[in-house]
Amino acid sequence: MKRNLLSVALASATMMLAANAYAQSADQQTPAQAQQDQTTDDAKDAKTLDTVVVTGIRAGIERAIDTKRGSTEIVEAISAEDIGKLPDVSIAESIARLPGLAMQRVAGRSSTVSIRGLSDDFGTTLLNGREQVSVGHNRGVEFDQYPSELISGVVVYKTPNAELVGQGLSGTVDLHTVRPLDYADRQVSVNFRGEHNSNGDLNSDVSAWGERFSISYIDQFMDNTLGVAVGYAHLDTPGQANQWEAWGYPTDNAGAPGANLLGGSKSQAFSSSNKRDGLMGVIQYKPSESFETTLDLYYSKFKIDETLRFMETGLGWSGATLSNAVVENGNVVSGTFTGVRPVLRNDNNTKDDKLFSAGWNSRFQFNDDWAGVFDLSYSKAERDEMLLETYSGLGPATDPNAFDTVDFVMGGDVPQFTYGRDYTDPNQVVLTDPGGWGQEGFVKFPHVEDELWAVRADFERAFDEGMFSSLEFGLNYTSREKTRASGLEAFLCLGPNPDGGGCRDAAGNLSGATATIPSSAIVHPGVDLGFTGIPGIVSYNTGDIFGMYTVSPLVHQDVTNKNWMVNEDVTTAYAQLNINTDLGSVPMRGNIGIQAVHTDQSSDGFVVPFSAADAALPISGGATYDDYLPSLNLSFEFPAEQVLRVAAGRQLARPRMDWMRANQNVNIATSGANAGLWEGNGGNPELKPWEANAYDVSYEKYFGGTKGYVSVAGFYKDLRTWVTESTVAYDFTGYDPGDAPPPASPIGVFTTPVNGEGGSIYGWEFAASVPFDLAWDALDGFGLQGSYSDTTSNIQDPVTGQDRTIAGLSEKVWNITMYYEKNGYQARVSQRHRSPFLGEIQGFGADRSQRFINEEDVVDLQFGYSFAEGSELDGLSVLFQVLNATDEPYREYFQGSNLAQKHSEYGRTYMFGVTYKY
């Protein structure tokens, strides 16, 4: 409630200041004719972030406002406040503060961004105008792969134009690196920051301390015709989290029939080491005004090492006996379970990511009227993972004496548990299969590879007279191939493990094998799980015991189904007329154009009949189709620095790449409504994109040129096609039933992604950036930035007619930043709010999983001082930051209820740093 009151108060103050500033600036406008004289090149330059030397928070804000005002599209922008430094720790956090955008936390890190209520898969990310690949399973870029120290600015396009190739349905994020010839002289910046997580060393062998280091060098040679920029950024940051997760809440239990009972519980201490090295290089050569060529190189290597130690206990779903149950409002809030078998897990997950991008761009000015651009680019991403699980407990599931009793109390943020045994005592714990899962451990090695080539040619014909300032046309070709391989998936067994059937004997019985944990592997002290009432569990180093296991590869259709390749060849031809004229006395700028997009997509995978993964057969599929994407952007300049923008266009988002896989699993149903019929599930290589007719309007009021602004915008997306997963009728003619009798009809049911039609997404946005001295000189140095967006969707399943929830859609998103900057001192407090939404995370088996994520309010603080020019410490600045200052938890819940699924407390991150620039 206090947060909402704060938001209302700040919004009211913004409007009052805006009104005051409007009155003061009404008589100080640049003549409208000045806008008419702006050349086409000026308009195009406004859409990119030309790098100039700026310092301080306010200078960066004004530079971003200048980009927004000069654009002919509806855009949002952020700009580096200094070389090698953005206002936030990560690009994702900076982008998430823009109107209509929101960030999703992944393992406590700001990683993926949604635009206008749509997940990252609906947008496209560019680097210097070129489409980027992803280390994830689909298209969404993980922004923590891009060090903020190496990015000079970001433009987010909310409306399309014909020359913007690779645009998304929700929007397009274009990251920019520096252009060295935009600087007048040599620039060198060195930055160092140390950090600490307030949760401390939750796992004693993983530090809560970390650091960041970066250096940027920019220089010019050969009479400023040759420019070179090199940047290096190193990150070693810890992650520490207390996490609790529920299996679910069954109602069919004997102890409290009909009530929601906790089915199982995980109490976890999570620690991670995140190490990233990023390298950026730019060579720019401009020997004359008629020729310029630039080579961009970018490389990032990100190694994540996660240690997870936790107690996992089956409760309502374990066969344990419930007594003393207390039921309130249909939920079992306390009770006692007897006959439980806790599983003590010491897991280790690693990710090794590599990302490389290269682009070569050459610009030619043939004469006064004709210009051309040739661009060649390459982008590749790879991810290698290891997911290692090891189990220990009181004894194997075959031991009748290895049971325990647990009292539980629900309520608060997480439940509280009281067990009857001491799980911190190594003498009571052995390596084994305490849960009866048929394995003493498990390991997976998934691999993802994504590669994209692109070549582009553009031409522009300038006009001296008429309403059109120029004609642009061109051709772009991209070839993208994404591969996912399951790699080895295997049981880890201390005893028998016949033919991938798990840790069982020849008769299929649980092996019951045990092993003593070597004293040399035990980590002291054991992990503390006191946040859920559990004193702790035995901790050991998984690397020291891995050699004790026998590796038994798993042969199963789920493993085979994770092996696929998707290829896309996309050819885009476009033409666009740029508008620069007057509509009566009102200057009007903009563009009108069309893209013709030809797509040839295909996929290779496997069809797995009757769970017989060893009998999998290759399968391929694909489709060829054309899309036509018209676009219109108009910007009207009115007196008193007012701008009205209107836009209309057709936008598309290509479907998730894992949904485009050719893979199929096929069976004959043995029970249920489909008993005796063919049934299957898999991908759809013929899947077509999401496509919408989009309409936008934006009113913007600027103050003092680019010192501040207030804007209100609305948008409506009329969906022509979209994608959802559904069960449809399918012809299984030609499929071999094996030894089973064939169904009477070849028509069965198949669960697969399909294209639907109809539906809409719409909303409105408010944004403001106001320096307070516009209203009162005594407030010089103070200012406010804020935004609020409200988004609604209306989509029904094409088969069932039921409403569908779109991934990434938060109905309400707002951000507020208060800042102060004067005489070298700077301070900033920011708060971002996101209402509940359907998110996508990496779930069990490294597969994508959809989870309902609760609302959150994240507060960040920043304080700094820059020594004055001419002083002995000229060029030096210091910075102190507190991220997630209120320790806002990350919370998931089960759909259709308020029952908690996951609760994570990532703690606060304290950072102190120094920057030296000369």
Side-chain angles (χ1 to χ4, degrees):
M1 183 64 179
K2 290 181 180 179
R3 291 170 177 163
N4 292 334
L5 290 175
L6 173 64
S7 304
V8 172
L10 290 174
S12 300
T14 303
M15 296 305 294
M16 293 173 63
L17 289 165
N20 194 331
Y22 179 93
Q24 292 184 17
S25 63
D27 298 328
Q28 303 173 3
Q29 307 307 311
T30 303
Q33 186 64 37
Q35 292 293 335
Q36 181 182 4
D37 295 337
Q38 184 172 347
T39 65
T40 300
D41 287 340
D42 291 336
K44 291 183 65 177
D45 287 344
K47 294 187 293 183
T48 62
L49 287 175
D50 289 337
T51 305
V52 294
V53 178
V54 294
T55 58
I57 294 174
R58 185 159 172 175
I61 291 173
E62 291 182 7
R63 184 167 168 235
I65 294 175
D66 182 61
T67 300
K68 179 180 179 69
R69 182 171 183 176
S71 175
T72 53
E73 292 76 39
I74 298 176
V75 305
E76 308 295 345
I78 53 176
S79 171
E81 62 184 70
D82 208 338
I83 300 173
K85 183 178 68 176
L86 274 169
D88 288 296
V89 172
S90 77
I91 290 294
E93 290 170 337
S94 299
I95 296 173
R97 300 194 192 285
L98 295 173
L101 280 75
M103 177 270 296
Q104 179 177 330
R105 289 191 284 176
V106 177
R109 308 187 316 275
S110 302
S111 181
T112 62
V113 173
S114 68
I115 305 174
R116 286 181 162 176
L118 293 169
S119 73
D120 52 327
D121 284 330
F122 294 93
T124 301
T125 299
L126 313 176
L127 179 63
N128 295 319
R130 306 176 181 105
E131 185 176 356
Q132 294 296 286
V133 292
S134 168
V135 295
H137 296 171
N138 292 290
R139 303 178 188 277
V141 165
E142 297 179 8
F143 285 97
D144 50 7
Q145 300 285 337
Y146 298 89
S148 59
E149 297 92 338
L150 303 183
I151 301 298
S152 67
V154 184
V155 176
V156 179
Y157 292 87
K158 292 182 175 178
T159 62
N161 66 61
E163 70 163 353
L164 187 64
V165 175
Q167 57 194 270
L169 185 141
S170 60
T172 306
V173 179
D174 195 2
L175 310 176
H176 293 259
T177 56
V178 299
R179 289 293 173 260
L181 292 182
D182 291 340
Y183 291 80
D185 51 23
R186 178 185 301 164
Q187 301 285 327
V188 179
S189 177
V190 181
N191 178 283
F192 176 82
R193 299 183 198 180
E195 65 177 275
H196 178 69
N197 187 282
S198 64
N199 283 335
D201 303 343
L202 295 181
N203 289 282
S204 59
D205 50 344
V206 183
S207 176
W209 293 88
E211 74 276 347
R212 301 162 64 98
F213 170 81
S214 68
I215 182 169
S216 299
Y217 169 80
I218 300 171
D219 211 344
Q220 304 79 31
F221 306 92
M222 299 169 57
D223 295 327
N224 284 346
T225 61
L226 177 66
V228 176
V230 179
Y232 169 73
H234 172 74
L235 170 76
D236 185 354
T237 184
Q240 302 283 349
N242 287 312
Q243 300 188 146
W244 174 80
E245 187 170 358
W247 289 8
Y249 297 87
T251 58
D252 55 341
N253 57 85
N260 296 309
L261 174 65
L262 183 61
S265 171
K266 297 180 182 179
S267 297
Q268 181 183 93
F270 168 92
S271 300
S272 67
S273 170
N274 307 282
K275 297 181 179 181
R276 182 194 63 209
D277 290 286
L279 183 64
M280 174 272 298
V282 181
I283 300 175
Q284 184 181 13
Y285 180 55
K286 188 176 182 181
S288 67
E289 291 300 319
S290 61
F291 176 70
E292 176 184 348
T293 186
T294 304
L295 176 66
D296 292 292
L297 299 172
Y298 177 82
Y299 175 78
S300 174
K301 182 177 181 179
F302 202 169
K303 178 67 178 293
I304 301 174
D305 193 333
E306 299 175 342
T307 298
L308 305 91
R309 296 187 173 112
F310 56 107
M311 177 182 283
E312 182 170 12
T313 307
L315 299 172
W317 276 326
S318 70
T321 302
L322 174 66
S323 61
N324 304 322
V326 177
V327 179
E328 294 180 1
N329 301 319
N331 302 317
V332 180
V333 297
S334 66
T336 300
F337 278 103
T338 56
V340 299
R341 293 182 174 275
V343 179
L344 312 185
R345 292 182 55 171
N346 282 244
D347 294 1
N348 181 228
N349 299 333
T350 64
K351 295 179 182 178
D352 190 356
D353 298 342
K354 298 181 180 67
L355 179 66
F356 175 73
S357 295
W360 177 37
N361 182 279
S362 296
R363 298 176 180 270
F364 305 88
Q365 187 68 46
F366 302 115
N367 52 46
D368 291 340
D369 297 328
W370 282 94
V373 178
F374 177 79
D375 192 274
L376 179 66
S377 63
Y378 174 75
S379 180
K380 183 177 181 179
E382 291 183 85
R383 167 171 285 175
D384 288 290
E385 295 184 73
M386 181 193 72
L387 307 174
L388 173 63
E389 305 174 8
T390 67
Y391 316 139
S392 59
L394 300 174
T398 55
D399 183 354
N401 298 315
F403 290 101
D404 198 0
T405 299
V406 57
D407 298 321
F408 70 96
V409 178
M410 308 295 290
D413 292 329
V414 295
Q416 298 296 301
F417 302 95
T418 304
Y419 286 85
R421 306 283 285 271
D422 182 6
Y423 294 93
T424 64
D425 184 359
N427 296 318
Q428 294 197 38
V429 176
V430 293
L431 298 173
T432 189
D433 175 18
W437 297 345
Q439 59 199 51
E440 280 91 57
F442 202 84
V443 66
K444 307 179 183 74
F445 294 93
H447 173 79
V448 172
E449 187 170 318
D450 198 355
E451 189 174 30
L452 184 148
W453 286 93
V455 60
R456 176 170 178 169
D458 303 277
F459 299 93
E460 182 174 13
R461 169 68 161 89
F463 305 121
D464 295 329
E465 298 179 354
M467 67 177 294
F468 297 112
S469 58
S470 68
L471 167 66
E472 295 181 78
F473 59 93
L475 189 68
N476 184 86
Y477 172 77
T478 63
S479 180
R480 182 174 188 175
E481 181 176 288
K482 186 148 196 164
T483 304
R484 187 184 192 274
S486 62
L488 173 68
E489 294 197 14
F491 300 103
L492 301 181
C493 299
L494 298 165
N497 54 343
D499 301 326
C503 305
R504 301 175 183 272
D505 59 25
N509 300 314
L510 295 175
S511 71
T514 65
T516 301
I517 304 172
S519 59
S520 60
I522 294 177
V523 177
H524 297 285
V527 68
D528 182 2
L529 302 177
F531 72 103
T532 56
I534 303 170
I537 63 171
V538 171
S539 301
Y540 52 85
N541 189 320
T542 56
D544 291 344
I545 68 165
F546 189 78
M548 299 173 63
Y549 296 97
T550 301
V551 177
S552 176
L554 172 63
V555 181
H556 193 272
Q557 63 179 5
D558 288 343
V559 179
T560 306
N561 195 43
K562 297 172 186 175
N563 296 289
W564 50 263
M565 183 275 291
V566 171
N567 179 266
E568 291 178 328
D569 292 330
V570 181
T571 304
T572 303
Y574 80 91
Q576 176 174 293
L577 284 165
N578 295 310
I579 301 169
N580 191 356
T581 187
D582 286 343
L583 191 63
S585 61
V586 177
M588 180 178 71
R589 295 185 299 118
N591 51 69
I592 182 171
I594 189 170
Q595 288 184 355
V597 184
H598 175 75
T599 303
D600 185 355
Q601 65 188 39
S602 62
S603 175
D604 296 329
F606 296 91
V607 55
V608 186
F610 303 99
S611 301
D614 55 350
L617 300 173
I619 186 173
S620 299
T624 301
Y625 53 88
D626 298 305
D627 293 286
Y628 297 93
L629 310 176
S631 61
L632 171 69
N633 292 276
L634 295 175
S635 175
F636 303 93
E637 296 276 347
F638 291 99
E641 297 189 279
Q642 300 178 92
V643 179
L644 177 67
R645 305 182 196 274
V646 294
R650 183 166 295 167
Q651 298 173 297
L652 64 77
R654 302 197 178 280
R656 285 174 42 166
M657 300 191 88
D658 62 338
W659 280 8
M660 294 171 62
R661 70 189 189 278
N663 300 55
Q664 295 182 352
N665 292 327
V666 178
N667 292 285
I668 297 176
T670 58
S671 61
N674 299 320
L677 299 179
W678 287 103
E679 67 175 2
N681 62 78
N684 182 356
E686 299 180 7
L687 206 58
K688 293 185 178 181
W690 290 66
E691 195 169 283
N693 292 329
Y695 308 93
D696 290 77
V697 61
S698 175
Y699 167 78
E700 301 157 10
K701 169 68 180 83
Y702 292 88
F703 314 123
T706 57
K707 291 183 177 180
Y709 79 96
V710 173
S711 70
V712 179
F715 65 92
Y716 183 88
K717 298 182 186 295
D718 182 14
L719 293 172
R720 302 177 74 241
T721 62
W722 49 278
V723 182
T724 187
E725 199 166 30
S726 192
T727 300
V728 298
Y730 190 82
D731 188 348
F732 288 87
T733 299
Y735 286 75
D736 184 1
D739 297 332
S745 170
I747 305 301
V749 293
F750 196 78
T751 301
T752 185
V754 297
N755 285 109
E757 297 181 359
S760 59
I761 304 170
Y762 54 91
W764 65 278
E765 301 163 349
F766 167 79
S769 180
V770 182
F772 289 173
D773 63 329
L774 289 177
W776 187 19
D777 290 341
L779 294 177
D780 182 29
F782 290 94
L784 175 146
Q785 285 183 294
S787 67
Y788 175 87
S789 62
D790 192 308
T791 306
T792 303
S793 68
N794 179 22
I795 297 177
Q796 285 79 39
D797 186 282
V799 177
T800 65
Q802 296 178 338
D803 289 340
R804 283 285 186 176
T805 301
I806 298 179
L809 178 60
S810 289
E811 290 189 3
K812 294 177 174 57
V813 174
W814 55 260
N815 301 280
I816 290 180
T817 297
M818 293 283 293
Y819 65 87
Y820 172 79
E821 182 183 40
K822 191 174 182 180
N823 299 326
Y825 294 96
Q826 61 174 262
R828 181 168 64 92
V829 54
S830 301
Q831 180 178 6
R832 61 178 183 266
H833 169 86
R834 185 173 189 180
S835 63
F837 66 101
L838 176 63
E840 293 186 334
I841 63 171
Q842 178 167 298
F844 180 76
D847 292 324
R848 295 252 299 202
S849 176
Q850 292 190 334
R851 297 286 185 91
F852 284 86
I853 301 173
N854 217 333
E855 66 180 1
E856 62 181 18
D857 292 89
V858 179
V859 177
D860 299 330
L861 307 174
Q862 175 178 306
F863 308 94
Y865 179 76
S866 298
F867 290 89
E869 184 176 353
S871 68
E872 293 184 359
L873 297 177
D874 181 12
L876 183 68
S877 61
V878 294
L879 187 70
F880 176 70
Q881 293 172 295
V882 184
L883 309 181
N884 193 22
T886 59
D887 196 8
E888 179 76 355
Y890 168 90
R891 297 165 295 168
E892 297 174 2
Y893 62 96
F894 287 97
Q895 182 181 12
S897 73
N898 60 354
L899 298 172
Q901 183 168 6
K902 187 174 184 178
H903 181 97
S904 300
E905 298 173 356
Y906 292 110
R908 303 172 183 86
T909 297
Y910 300 98
M911 303 184 69
F912 177 79
V914 294
T915 299
Y916 182 65
K917 170 193 166 186
Y918 65 93

